[in-house]
Amino acid sequence: GGSTSADLDDKLQYPLFARTIPSDDGNAVPIIQFINQVLGVTHLAVLNINDSYGNSYVQGLRTAAEKHAPEMLIYQASVDEQVESIRTALAGIKQTQYRYIFAVIYTPEVHDMILTMAHDMGIAGTGVHQWLFGDSFDRISSRTIQADSPLIEAYRGVAMFEATGGIPGIGITGYDNFLEYMAEMHNPEDMEYLFSLFPNYDNDVYQESLKSFTNYLTQITSVQAPFVYEATIALGLSACAAVNPDDNTLNGKVHYNTMVNSVFDGITGKVIFDPATGAKDPTHTMYKVTNFIDKAPNADGMVGWAESVTSIYHEGAWEELTPFVFNDGSHDIPSDIPPEDVIDNTVNLGVRISVLVLCGIVMVLGVGLM
């Protein structure tokens, strides 16, 4: 329900691996569709950590663009966590003049370092440059930043793409029902049974940790919980269909093949697998775009951040929930490259007169020298 590495799509290495969440290659499809079809972007810079995950992610974006946005040009800049590497990568992005930057980076420290340097170089916080992030982005809504920091301008209006099991209260009844019925399991009878399964260690730290289950299931906030639930259902339904009725045995390969060729109603729509990879089909997975907007400074001069889910991808199409706020604070979609200089073929009267006078002087000098 949570492993997204594209390496796991390799059936030679992982012949019986399946998942109810798409791989990173699959996740790239709705991201490219949003950037191209919703924002109208055909020039995209991608900044990624130079490791197997980051490079694989960028390759997934390229593959998705070849199919869904063949006119899109993608410029890749890979970095490690060294300052000089980051400076070189950002300089390359600046030279392209691309205004949309998609980043696949880890940790808030590295995000801050990159955005601060990008701000200093004039490619973040300008009002025309728009930064977008994959799900490795550390949500700034859990942080506050000093009001006079350049990071306020740099982070304003950034957005994060992520697969989600659902969003409450937007009319997706399957997800709302999932939350409701899971919460109903938090009752004395079920909780007593659950705690009976735990070992009973006479240890103060252990006993204290059990208190964390006080609100167990009453409000599910984990993004992965619905995917794990669907994985459990997929395993169970396919086991029932694959079991040998003669001796009640279950063959692993038959179980796997039955599962990846099955279709059932999930929490937010159909659960359909790609039999070639064993991963869930991204067109039947929900995604969301979370927009981050700075709040007014508090009494201590610190700025917090509000989250706004602006769009969802449901059953293969993007749907707007609320207008996106871009880096300039407006809802106006910025262009992905600077507009071409308009060449004015007219010459003003002053320039014309100056040219004529100069020509006259040259002619007079020429005659005098003859």
Side-chain angles (χ1 to χ4, degrees), residues 168 175 178-180 182-184 186 214-222 225:
Y175 185 69
F178 170 71
L179 296 181
E180 178 185 350
M182 292 298 282
E184 286 184 3
H186 188 87
T214 302
N215 296 317
Y216 181 62
L217 297 177
T218 56
Q219 183 180 13
I220 294 178
T221 58
S222 169

Side-chain angles (χ1 to χ4, degrees), residues 118-348:
H119 182 276
D120 293 343
M121 295 174 68
I123 56 172
T126 63
V128 296
H129 287 86
Q130 187 64 43
W131 283 71
L132 309 167
F133 297 91
D135 57 11
S136 59
F137 180 63
D138 289 277
R139 315 175 89 92
I140 52 175
S141 52
S142 61
R143 303 168 51 192
T144 56
I145 300 174
Q146 191 70 39
D148 58 359
S149 169
L151 288 174
I152 302 299
E153 292 181 343
Y155 277 122
R156 179 176 295 135
V158 302
M160 177 179 69
F161 295 84
E162 63 180 331
T164 179
I167 301 171
I170 63 169
I172 307 296
T173 56
Y175 185 69
D176 290 337
N177 289 339
F178 170 71
L179 296 181
E180 178 185 350
Y181 290 119
M182 292 298 282
E184 286 184 3
M185 293 178 64
H186 188 87
N187 60 72
E189 182 179 354
D190 286 330
M191 292 301 290
E192 181 181 359
Y193 171 72
L194 177 66
F195 276 85
S196 72
L197 303 176
F198 291 174
N200 187 20
Y201 297 121
D202 187 15
N203 179 285
D204 292 340
V205 174
Y206 175 76
Q207 292 296 328
E208 187 67 25
S209 71
L210 294 181
K211 295 180 181 179
S212 64
F213 284 86
T214 302
N215 296 317
Y216 181 62
L217 297 177
T218 56
Q219 183 180 13
I220 294 178
T221 58
S222 169
V223 172
Q224 292 184 0
F227 297 119
V228 174
Y229 174 84
E230 289 178 342
T232 305
I233 299 301
L235 286 166
L237 290 177
S238 56
C240 291
V243 68
N244 186 329
D246 296 329
D247 55 9
N248 288 327
T249 58
L250 186 63
N251 175 277
K253 189 172 183 179
V254 174
H255 188 189
Y256 169 83
N257 288 331
T258 302
M259 180 168 62
V260 298
N261 286 287
S262 67
V263 177
F264 65 92
D265 290 324
I267 293 173
T268 61
K270 297 288 185 184
V271 175
I272 299 176
F273 297 91
D274 178 354
T277 64
K280 187 181 180 183
D281 185 338
T283 59
H284 295 280
T285 303
M286 179 175 285
Y287 293 83
K288 64 179 179 180
V289 177
T290 304
N291 194 197
F292 295 87
I293 305 147
D294 51 313
K295 302 177 182 177
N298 62 21
D300 297 324
M302 302 298 290
V303 172
W305 301 84
E307 291 189 13
S308 174
V309 177
T310 62
S311 298
I312 59 169
Y313 183 83
H314 188 228
E315 295 301 329
W318 280 102
E319 173 188 347
E320 183 182 88
L321 298 181
T322 187
F324 192 107
V325 177
F326 293 92
N327 184 250
D328 65 353
S330 77
H331 302 308
D332 301 327
I333 301 175
S335 61
D336 57 349
I337 54 175
E340 294 184 12
D341 293 332
V342 178
I343 301 175
D344 188 353
N345 291 319
T346 63
V347 182
N348 65 43

Side-chain angles (χ1 to χ4, degrees), residues 22-36:
S23 70
D24 289 324
D25 284 353
N27 291 332
V29 171
I31 292 174
I32 287 295
Q33 288 180 331
F34 183 90
I35 293 173
N36 179 249

Side-chain angles (χ1 to χ4, degrees), residues 70-151:
E71 75 281 15
M72 181 179 285
L73 301 176
I74 295 179
Y75 173 83
Q76 179 181 2
S78 300
V79 300
D80 53 34
E81 297 182 4
Q82 302 303 312
V83 171
E84 194 55 41
S85 169
I86 295 171
R87 182 177 290 110
T88 300
L90 293 177
I93 291 174
K94 182 175 182 178
Q95 189 172 11
T96 67
Q97 298 191 64
Y98 292 5
R99 291 176 168 180
Y100 282 81
I101 301 101
F102 186 91
V104 185
I105 307 293
Y106 315 128
T107 79
E109 293 78 17
V110 176
H111 282 104
D112 285 359
M113 184 191 310
I114 288 174
L115 267 294
T116 299
M117 199 176 298
H119 182 276
D120 293 343
M121 295 174 68
I123 56 172
T126 63
V128 296
H129 287 86
Q130 187 64 43
W131 283 71
L132 309 167
F133 297 91
D135 57 11
S136 59
F137 180 63
D138 289 277
R139 315 175 89 92
I140 52 175
S141 52
S142 61
R143 303 168 51 192
T144 56
I145 300 174
Q146 191 70 39
D148 58 359
S149 169
L151 288 174

